[in-house]
Amino acid sequence: MKIIAVGRNYIEHANELKNEIPSEPLIFLKPDTALLKNNEAFYYPDFSKDIHYELELVLRVCKEGKHISEKFATNYYDQIGLGIDFTARDIQEKHKQNGLPWELAKAFDHSASISKMIPKEEISYLYNLNFFLDKNNERVQHGNTSKLIFSFEKVITFVSQYITLKKGDLIFTGTPAGVGPVKVGDHLVGYLEEEKLLDFHIK
Ligand code: MG
């Protein structure tokens, strides 16, 4: 499986990092070795001094497809969960300044923490869905799907023009504003509406 991620998919987050609002989705990949499951601890890597959390909604792809039209895109994911797109912001900034790819800042081991996934049918307000991140009992992020620049369907349609989606792939759909650093000892808790899905520590 592969992990497909969207950058800058909420206006306020693009603004906080002083990035332009994109005219088409900004896509990057993480390998399967990036996955961190079952609320296992995230171990702070020694190659970065500025690891940031980015809470995101994650879609699970349920069938193979390419050149998917927007009208049918909703049929290509069946579950939603939460994920943290851990980002080595210091490495990313250095590479951005030099016009280089981001992989080392985004694709490192355990950079994609994911929760259990919830069947899509169990979610009432897919297009007005709240999600939250608390760091050490303080709310740091609040996202809502109505604020997405590119909807889930637009992302699926766009990506599938280039990359075949396969069953089991995960799509990280972008982070809202409020990203920030983690340090050893931090406790991250993520909610999809009222349901606590992520609950783990930085070690
Ligand atoms: Mg992200």
Side-chain angles (χ1 to χ4, degrees):
M1 57 82 64
K2 57 190 173 290
I3 302 166
I4 295 159
V6 187
R8 303 171 194 169
N9 204 11
Y10 291 87
I11 288 173
E12 287 164 9
H13 170 62
N15 287 341
E16 75 180 341
L17 294 186
K18 300 186 170 53
N19 290 313
E20 292 189 3
I21 309 302
S23 56
E24 58 183 32
L26 173 65
I27 302 296
F28 58 93
L29 299 177
K30 291 178 187 254
D32 58 0
T33 43
L35 278 177
L36 179 64
K37 294 180 177 175
N38 305 319
N39 282 319
E40 284 173 20
F42 174 86
Y43 284 84
Y44 205 106
D46 55 13
F47 51 74
S48 172
K49 299 261 184 298
D50 195 24
I51 299 285
H52 277 207
Y53 58 81
E54 296 187 357
L55 179 70
E56 312 199 1
L57 291 172
V58 178
L59 312 178
R60 179 196 175 269
V61 174
C62 58
K63 60 177 176 176
E64 185 166 322
K66 66 185 301 184
H67 300 297
I68 299 164
S69 76
E70 206 175 316
K71 193 166 63 167
F72 299 116
T74 191
N75 301 329
Y76 284 81
Y77 68 98
D78 63 345
Q79 297 175 14
I80 297 184
L82 293 176
I84 305 277
D85 168 20
F86 280 110
T87 302
R89 197 70 75 202
D90 44 357
I91 296 174
Q92 187 190 34
E93 285 304 321
K94 193 171 79 182
H95 286 208
K96 270 164 68 178
Q97 281 166 19
N98 294 318
L100 296 171
W102 296 354
E103 263 68 19
L104 294 180
K106 285 286 195 182
F108 55 87
D109 287 354
H110 298 166
S111 61
S113 171
I114 58 159
S115 73
K116 72 168 182 175
M117 305 295 284
I118 311 285
K120 189 169 66 172
E121 311 82 63
E122 292 178 17
I123 296 175
S124 319
Y125 304 104
L126 211 49
Y127 301 98
N128 186 16
L129 186 63
N130 290 295
F131 57 109
F132 307 95
L133 183 70
D134 292 352
K135 185 176 86 167
N136 305 330
N137 295 317
E138 189 185 326
R139 184 133 300 168
V140 289
Q141 289 193 283
H142 170 200
N144 182 290
T145 50
S146 67
K147 306 261 178 67
L148 282 164
I149 299 172
F150 303 104
S151 68
F152 298 160
E153 289 71 25
K154 281 200 162 63
V155 168
I156 286 169
T157 297
F158 180 80
V159 170
S160 72
Q161 308 308 306
Y162 300 84
I163 300 170
T164 299
L165 298 180
K166 288 190 160 180
K167 185 175 178 177
D169 288 349
L170 297 174
I171 302 177
F172 276 61
T173 57
T175 192
V179 302
V182 291
K183 60 180 190 321
V184 173
D186 281 349
H187 181 204
L188 298 181
V189 178
Y191 298 86
L192 186 63
E193 294 291 351
E194 269 93 59
E195 191 173 357
K196 186 195 285 188
L197 291 182
L198 285 173
D199 184 354
F200 68 101
H201 291 83
I202 311 296
K203 290 189 173 174

